[in-house]
Amino acid sequence: MKRVVQYVTMRRNVSEQSGEVDLRPLSARSVVLSLLLGAHPPEMPVKDLVRAVEPFGVGGSTLRAALSRMVGAGDLRRADTVYGLSDRLLARQRRQDDSVHPRTRAWSGDWEMVVITATGRGPAERADLRARLAALRLAELREGVWLRPANLARPLPDDLDGVARRCTARPAGSGPELAAALWPLDDWAADARALLAHVTRADRPADRLTGFAAVVRHLLADPVLPPELLPPDWPGDELRSAYADYQRELADTVPQDHLRR
């Protein structure tokens, strides 16, 4: 049985031997994106951004240069002195919000199944479809056959009908064993615990920001399975709770004047 390779973010950020977290460097761009991706609405005047990034070691001139590059790259849109996320990054924020607050329903034992039926597609099209299915938290049982427990309160996109057949299934055998074959659950849980230990220890603003940025990336790889299919002491809810607390902490430090206009 083929294990889907959709858990790609955290194994290089966590030492398998020591459990230490090796985080990505903090750049002006990453600070701005972290602040705006966690903000609702995801926009801020430049004067407020200048104050918001100061605790993370980003100066005003560095920020303005980063903002100019981000607008040019399509990361941000600008209206007068207000910067906000582009449509592409608004979609990323929605995925991030769903990873922190997944919408689930009681599981009846059914599984969603998507069987790829289209042929003659090029490598780029196949890679894009695989990325879309993985983002929907489906896993590949074998080439062209994707499934997951039907416990997410979301429909599959209608445009999949042009390339795949959607159906409901009840696989025979052990549900927990199937889930463990489809997703690297033990690795995900171990890395989640290492991240929790890191953000608990971190006290400098920059260290906390980089730690929780890694937490969000890790939550995007959580398959959000029913409790019946998870290993004991699954740390998913604890990781989400820690990030939700950090979002509130960060909101208290970000200037809020623009929200009252």
Side-chain angles (χ1 to χ4, degrees):
M1 185 177 293
K2 181 179 179 180
R3 173 173 290 187
V4 63
V5 185
Q6 68 185 90
Y7 174 61
V8 294
T9 56
M10 288 305 306
R11 292 314 294 169
R12 60 193 171 204
N13 291 336
V14 180
S15 166
E16 294 183 20
Q17 294 182 348
S18 67
E20 290 297 318
V21 180
D22 181 18
L23 300 173
R24 299 177 185 177
L26 192 67
S27 66
R29 177 182 181 274
S30 63
V31 170
V32 170
L33 287 183
S34 292
L35 292 172
L36 291 179
L37 284 166
H40 298 80
E43 60 182 31
M44 201 177 298
V46 66
K47 65 180 181 63
D48 289 347
L49 274 169
V50 169
R51 285 184 286 165
V53 301
E54 282 180 355
F56 308 107
V58 179
S61 60
T62 301
L63 171 68
R64 288 181 172 85
L67 290 174
S68 178
R69 290 193 296 270
M70 293 170 75
V71 170
D75 294 330
L76 300 180
R77 52 179 174 76
R78 177 181 176 181
D80 296 325
T81 62
V82 177
Y83 289 85
L85 297 179
S86 65
D87 288 344
R88 172 173 57 83
L89 287 174
L90 285 173
R92 175 175 163 183
Q93 185 189 50
R94 288 191 292 271
R95 291 194 300 272
Q96 177 175 302
D97 289 347
D98 285 343
S99 74
V100 178
H101 304 288
R103 293 168 293 171
T104 61
R105 61 188 180 189
W107 186 49
S108 66
D110 288 341
W111 289 62
E112 297 174 350
M113 180 177 287
V114 176
V115 180
I116 307 304
T117 55
T119 59
R121 293 170 298 124
E125 291 177 295
R126 292 197 300 270
D128 178 69
L129 180 58
R130 290 175 65 88
R132 288 186 60 203
L133 293 172
L136 290 166
R137 291 187 163 84
L138 290 152
E140 193 170 27
L141 177 65
R142 51 166 295 177
E143 186 172 0
V145 179
W146 295 71
L147 72 165
R148 66 154 295 110
N151 69 314
L152 294 181
R154 57 99 175 96
L156 292 171
D158 289 337
D159 62 356
L160 283 178
D161 291 341
V163 295
R165 183 176 295 278
R166 299 178 290 170
C167 54
T168 300
R170 287 218 172 191
S174 167
E177 288 182 6
L178 177 57
L182 291 169
W183 291 278
L185 300 179
D186 290 340
D187 287 346
W188 193 96
D191 291 352
R193 294 187 184 100
L195 281 169
L196 282 166
H198 173 82
V199 296
T200 299
R201 293 191 306 265
D203 52 8
R204 295 193 310 131
D207 292 340
R208 289 180 64 72
L209 183 67
T210 54
F212 277 104
V215 166
V216 170
R217 292 193 297 271
H218 198 54
L219 287 173
L220 288 168
D222 182 358
V224 191
L225 300 178
E228 301 95 310
L229 301 183
L230 291 172
D233 302 319
W234 182 253
D237 287 344
E238 187 178 357
L239 198 64
R240 289 188 177 84
S241 178
Y243 182 73
D245 289 343
Y246 179 69
Q247 279 188 307
R248 289 188 286 269
E249 172 191 324
L250 202 59
D252 290 340
T253 67
V254 173
Q256 302 292 308
D257 293 346
H258 66 288
L259 299 179
R260 293 190 287 268
R261 292 176 183 167

